Amino acid sequence: MRSHILGTGAYVPKQVLTNVDLEGLVETSDSWIVERTGIRERRKAAPGEACSDLGIQAAQLALQAAHLQADDLDLIVLATCTGDSPLPSTASLIQYRLGATSAAALDISAACCGFVYALSVADAYIRSGVYRHVLVIGSEVMSSITDWTDRNTCVLFGDGAGAAVLGPTEEDRGLLSVHLHADGRLSDLICVPGGGSTYPVSESMLAERLQYVKMRGNETFKIAVKTMEDAVREALDAQNMKVSDVDFLLPHQANIRILKAVAQRLGLSMEQVILNLDRFGNTSAASIPLALDEAVRAGQIRPGCLIVLAAFGAGLTWASGVIRW
Ligand code: ACO
């Protein structure tokens, strides 16, 4: 038995923040951002619009597409690094507001790899027969941890959510395998230093702006290219497949230059890389399910397609997966 995706959904906040808008906040330019990242605009949550609000909208659409009701769900797994609050889990809030009365709920913290990590949890429960229907969500309000005075990071991130409902299948399709990695030695490459038990919220912590994301972008860039390439090759090797078997690479949407380098190293054309970072930026755990939902609804991903997921992010974490749609 395998797990497969029964339906997808996505939601982005209404407010569009363009590169020109950012020119008014920090010393940057539309041309620098487009050339160095490929991002043209991103979405920003309204004041008070939280991770659960975005996640619920995506989840409802995924349930509709799967032709299931909330009370059919056995488990909700939410991938996020920008939950509504430290306690309780944001997945619990979504469980209640969706009316998923039979479902257990948990959050996963694996930054931009969160959705692939969450898929692996859903897959393990479904394959083992413990649970039948699992809702996996990636939802982020990255604007809540963005330092709007730091041009190195504020141009990169966006808010959004994507979701998928998984169920069992005995057909020759679905999630063929998932591969997860982590290397905590590199935990300081991308981090939010404050707000946890090391530096609890305090006046001095806030004055040092430790509540915001810090990133050593240049070092991250080089590691991202290598780990994503390795993760794709590992996933294909596990299935005895070659790059020529792949219809689409669905990567974490971080930077167009990273994705071009990965595609080139693998020998994939850019037409085979599913992209939406020009419109949404880096939405961390939401980026893969957001792009997946768009590609499914546009008819780009069709039954029988072979899709390889690839992600990297804070931790460091990196991950891949192979799906026969
Ligand atoms: N506008 C104008 N200039 C800028 C900006 C900006 N927004 N940001 C940085 N610069 C300047 C720098 O200050 C630097 O100037 P200097 O040479 O005078 O010091 C110059 O541009 C070059 O800076 P680099 O950091 O070397 O620029 P680079 O080409 O590496 O691009 C970027 C930076 C876009 C951040 C890139 O390194 C990148 O995408 N890295 C990967 C980030 C990533 O993918 N993170 C994913 C994980 S996120 C997560 O897990 C939540």
Side-chain angles (χ1 to χ4, degrees):
M1 186 155 62
R2 290 202 176 102
S3 68
H4 78 131
I5 293 176
L6 303 168
T8 62
Y11 173 79
V12 289
K14 305 276 171 291
Q15 190 189 345
V16 176
L17 204 59
T18 65
N19 292 347
V20 173
D21 294 330
L22 291 173
E23 286 177 3
L25 294 179
V26 288
E27 198 182 324
T28 190
S29 65
D30 175 50
S31 59
W32 190 96
I33 302 170
V34 171
E35 189 188 310
R36 296 297 182 104
T37 71
I39 300 165
R40 292 179 185 278
E41 59 186 44
R42 69 289 290 144
R43 298 301 176 101
K44 187 166 185 285
E49 196 176 21
C51 175
S52 63
D53 298 316
L54 274 54
I56 284 167
Q57 304 265 3
Q60 283 170 334
L61 291 169
L63 280 167
Q64 265 175 30
H67 306 293
L68 289 173
Q69 306 296 321
D71 58 10
D72 294 321
L73 295 173
D74 302 306
L75 175 68
I76 297 172
V77 188
L78 170 70
T80 189
C81 59
T82 53
D84 290 22
S85 64
L87 195 73
S89 76
T90 302
S92 297
L93 306 177
I94 291 177
Q95 184 258 10
Y96 167 64
R97 286 171 58 194
L98 269 183
T101 46
S102 310
L106 64 97
D107 288 0
I108 284 203
S109 171
C112 307
C113 286
F115 188 76
V116 184
Y117 267 65
L119 275 184
S120 79
V121 172
D123 183 56
Y125 275 118
I126 291 169
R127 274 180 195 258
S128 65
V130 173
Y131 291 135
R132 191 167 169 78
H133 293 130
V134 182
L135 169 64
V136 175
I137 307 168
S139 181
E140 301 281 17
V141 182
M142 294 302 288
S143 58
S144 67
I145 57 167
T146 297
D147 185 343
W148 296 104
T149 66
D150 176 12
R151 70 176 183 175
N152 292 296
T153 53
C154 77
V155 302
L156 303 175
F157 299 111
D159 300 339
V165 179
L166 283 86
T169 181
E170 289 182 1
E171 294 172 27
D172 188 19
R173 66 187 179 123
L175 194 51
L176 305 187
S177 63
V178 193
H179 308 270
L180 309 179
H181 297 280
D183 186 350
R185 286 174 302 179
L186 299 167
S187 56
D188 61 343
L189 269 190
I190 311 162
C191 61
V192 177
S197 50
T198 310
Y199 300 110
V201 177
S202 67
E203 275 183 27
S204 64
M205 175 284 234
L206 295 173
E208 289 176 55
R209 307 182 80 75
L210 300 184
Q211 70 274 36
Y212 297 125
V213 69
K214 320 279 177 207
M215 183 172 67
R216 304 214 300 271
N218 208 279
E219 286 166 70
T220 307
F221 189 105
K222 290 171 199 149
I223 297 169
V225 173
K226 169 139 185 43
T227 54
M228 282 175 103
E229 180 196 359
D230 290 350
V232 170
R233 292 197 189 281
E234 177 188 22
L236 292 175
D237 285 350
Q239 297 304 318
N240 286 320
M241 287 177 178
K242 299 190 200 66
V243 171
S244 56
D245 295 315
V246 175
D247 291 302
F248 294 109
L249 174 65
L250 174 39
H252 167 51
Q253 312 279 313
N255 183 314
I256 191 69
R257 291 185 295 138
I258 293 176
L259 302 184
K260 280 184 176 165
V262 171
Q264 190 185 21
R265 282 165 173 240
L266 289 167
L268 287 169
S269 72
M270 283 312 283
E271 285 67 44
Q272 290 175 280
V273 182
I274 295 174
L275 292 172
N276 66 7
L277 91 167
D278 57 327
R279 287 170 293 128
F280 301 121
N282 178 348
T283 56
S284 188
S287 91
I288 286 182
L290 197 52
L292 174 67
D293 182 64
E294 277 199 333
V296 169
R297 285 176 194 266
Q300 190 180 9
I301 292 179
R302 294 176 307 280
C305 277
L306 191 89
I307 305 145
V308 180
L309 312 180
F312 73 95
L316 282 185
T317 51
W318 61 103
S320 59
V322 186
I323 299 176
R324 175 74 70 190
W325 199 256

